[in-house]
Amino acid sequence: MPQPVQDPPGGRRAVAVWSIGVAVYFVAVIFRTSLGVAGLDAADRFHVNASALATFSLLQLLVYAGMQIPVGLMVDRLGTKKVLTLGAVLFTVGQLGFALSPSYGMALAARALLGCGDAMTFISVLRLGTRWFPARRAPLMAQLAGLVGMAGNLVSTLVLAPVLHGVGWTAAFAGSAVAGVVVLVPLVLFLRDHPEGHGPAPVQRGSGGSGDSGGSGGSGGFVRRQIRESWAEPGTRLGLWVHFTTQFPAMVFLLLWGMPFLVEAQGLSRTTAGGLLTLVVASNMALGLVYGQVVGRRQSARIPLALGTVGLTALLWAAVLVYPGDRAPMWLLIALCLVLGSCGPASMIGFDFARPANPPQRQGTASGITNMGGFIASMTTLLTMGVLLDATGDNYRIAFSTVFVLEALGVSQILRLRRRALAREAEPERAPRARPLPDAAGREGP
């Protein structure tokens, strides 16, 4: 009798290799979120209004979201190491360029380059987790990767902000770019795509039953087939909408508008506002472990956790906006920040729908489609808030109300897709990958 395909072994070497990839993602998040603590400084440096300021983050997220499917295809085709290496080079050059940019236009180009490199990190780290660890560990490894990313956000808030105000714009951003070089060295020297004996199945090319017909070539057929077959799975689409609906409120708050809202609308000092942003990150890190454990043990908890997070976020967001008087009390702002910390862990649940819906050779593409969701929502909200702030004379209550529109859209799609996705996942031939049991883990990360 032939031996069944075994789970990846895990162990110390897996942790070491995975840690290299996560370190690259950690630095990418520091660079991504650095503008969140420097928004007011950027407005002064480049002499721009709220809409133009929002364009920095909007362009960065536009590039990030637009790159997700191409990056997923690259990971499936080229492997993790090549994609991560290219990403690290691009986001390091982008951060250095942002430090040295003398004009608004050049700074925009630098943020676009940074977003391109940043886009290559998270999907690669997800792939490392499935290639090096048993499938039953996949939800926890994904949450741990998100937790480390939030630690990068914490560094932006606690370290970069005071350094920026101490040594100035150029020195702070150029100095931070050194971190990109530091993580690039072990990435090139030591990272491996998978343990020996657990490599992916060869990519099928040419004219086969599952391939595209016509003379467009193997590469074009591969791309179209990967996207078409991934999107055809209800689990992939449900994953996208879960990510879309849960992630963006915290992303918008941390990436750009949280600091101006707390300082200008709520009358807090920058120090106090920075403390509240730190609270969002700390809450995210703590809840990431909880969500990962819960989802890893009870797959049925995925939808309740996602919808519960959306509902609680909307409730606290509304309470702050409609509170009588000009400013909400500190206890309510603290409660909002604690709840916003759950948005990141909840968004990771989207990957736990896309993962069992797709075979290993489509994991990168499916993850890329899923990861687009939250960043499309964040991009839309960042731009809308900036336009409304300019149009209403900085009325944050009106601008911040746009969050409810996107949440309602996302919830409607989750409710529409959930039964089809769960029914498809429970089909006999899919059940082993839908439930992370050791005897079926080989399909998840061969």
Side-chain angles (χ1 to χ4, degrees):
M1 177 179 288
Q3 288 292 104
V5 178
Q6 298 296 312
D7 243 350
R12 292 182 180 179
R13 190 179 178 208
V15 172
V17 172
W18 180 80
S19 297
I20 294 172
V22 169
V24 177
Y25 175 56
F26 172 77
V27 173
V29 174
I30 294 176
F31 293 178
R32 178 201 306 169
T33 58
S34 58
L35 186 60
V37 297
L40 298 176
D41 301 87
D44 293 337
R45 178 179 175 85
F46 299 112
H47 310 292
V48 295
N49 59 15
S51 297
L53 182 60
T55 304
F56 275 123
S57 296
L58 175 66
L59 178 62
Q60 185 178 332
L61 291 182
L62 178 63
V63 172
Y64 187 105
M67 285 291 293
Q68 287 310 291
I69 291 179
V71 167
L73 291 164
M74 288 169 65
V75 170
D76 286 337
R77 196 70 177 262
L78 302 177
T80 303
K81 183 173 182 174
K82 292 179 181 178
V83 177
L84 262 183
T85 301
L86 178 59
V89 170
L90 290 177
F91 68 61
T92 300
V93 173
Q95 184 77 342
L96 183 61
F98 193 58
L100 303 177
S101 295
S103 67
Y104 176 68
M106 291 185 67
L108 276 178
R111 293 306 283 187
L113 191 63
L114 193 159
C116 185
D118 181 19
M120 299 182 180
T121 58
F122 186 64
I123 293 174
S124 299
V125 171
L126 287 180
R127 170 56 68 90
L128 280 179
T130 60
R131 291 297 186 201
W132 281 90
F133 293 93
R136 64 184 181 276
R137 300 292 185 195
L140 179 60
M141 300 313 296
Q143 289 288 356
L144 286 174
L147 184 151
V148 174
M150 290 308 297
N153 202 324
L154 197 62
V155 169
S156 291
T157 304
L158 295 181
V159 179
L160 186 59
V163 169
L164 176 64
H165 298 133
V167 303
W169 180 280
T170 301
F173 280 97
S176 68
V178 175
V181 179
V182 171
V183 296
L184 188 59
V185 174
L187 166 59
V188 172
L189 294 179
F190 302 116
L191 190 133
R192 299 291 181 268
D193 285 353
H194 50 77
E196 287 188 29
H198 294 271
V203 176
Q204 298 298 320
R205 302 186 186 185
S207 58
S210 62
D212 285 272
S213 59
S216 59
S219 179
F222 171 81
V223 169
R224 290 192 296 272
R225 183 173 64 251
Q226 289 287 96
I227 295 174
R228 183 182 66 243
E229 293 179 356
S230 296
W231 184 254
E233 294 291 345
T236 304
R237 301 197 301 276
L238 178 60
L240 179 146
W241 283 108
V242 168
H243 199 268
F244 177 101
T245 314
T246 53
Q247 188 203 46
F248 79 96
M251 177 69 73
V252 166
F253 200 79
L254 289 171
L255 198 59
L256 185 61
W257 292 123
M259 180 69 78
F261 170 72
L262 294 172
V263 173
E264 296 177 351
Q266 299 300 315
L268 303 180
S269 67
R270 288 196 181 199
T271 301
T272 303
L276 287 174
L277 295 181
T278 303
L279 184 60
V280 177
V281 176
S283 173
N284 183 298
M285 295 174 69
L287 290 172
L289 293 174
V290 176
Y291 276 50
Q293 291 286 356
V294 171
V295 172
R297 295 177 181 179
R298 293 182 60 87
Q299 295 279 288
S300 60
R302 290 174 296 175
I303 290 292
L305 270 179
L307 293 180
T309 300
V310 174
L312 196 56
T313 301
L315 178 64
L316 269 296
W317 196 276
V320 169
L321 295 185
V322 303
Y323 193 86
D326 293 334
R327 298 171 184 174
M330 180 58 68
W331 66 264
L332 187 53
L333 294 175
I334 290 174
L336 172 64
C337 290
L338 287 172
V339 170
L340 286 176
S342 66
C343 293
S347 71
M348 300 300 295
I349 295 172
F351 298 102
D352 293 317
F353 286 110
R355 187 184 303 112
N358 293 273
Q361 62 269 25
R362 286 207 310 264
Q363 289 294 314
T365 306
S367 295
I369 292 173
T370 300
N371 207 29
M372 286 177 61
F375 290 93
I376 290 174
S378 298
M379 181 174 57
T380 303
T381 309
L382 281 168
L383 177 62
T384 305
M385 284 183 175
V387 171
L388 288 175
L389 285 170
D390 285 338
T392 61
D394 292 337
N395 189 320
Y396 280 90
R397 287 183 171 175
I398 294 176
F400 273 39
S401 295
T402 56
V403 166
F404 305 120
V405 178
L406 271 71
E407 285 185 327
L409 172 63
V411 168
S412 69
Q413 294 300 311
I414 292 172
L415 295 177
R416 182 178 69 86
L417 288 166
R418 75 188 192 286
R419 290 188 179 179
R420 266 190 292 167
L422 294 177
R424 176 79 165 146
E425 190 177 283
E427 290 176 1
E429 69 274 15
R430 293 174 178 269
R433 282 190 282 118
R435 292 187 288 273
L437 298 176
D439 63 335
R443 300 189 192 178
E444 183 68 27

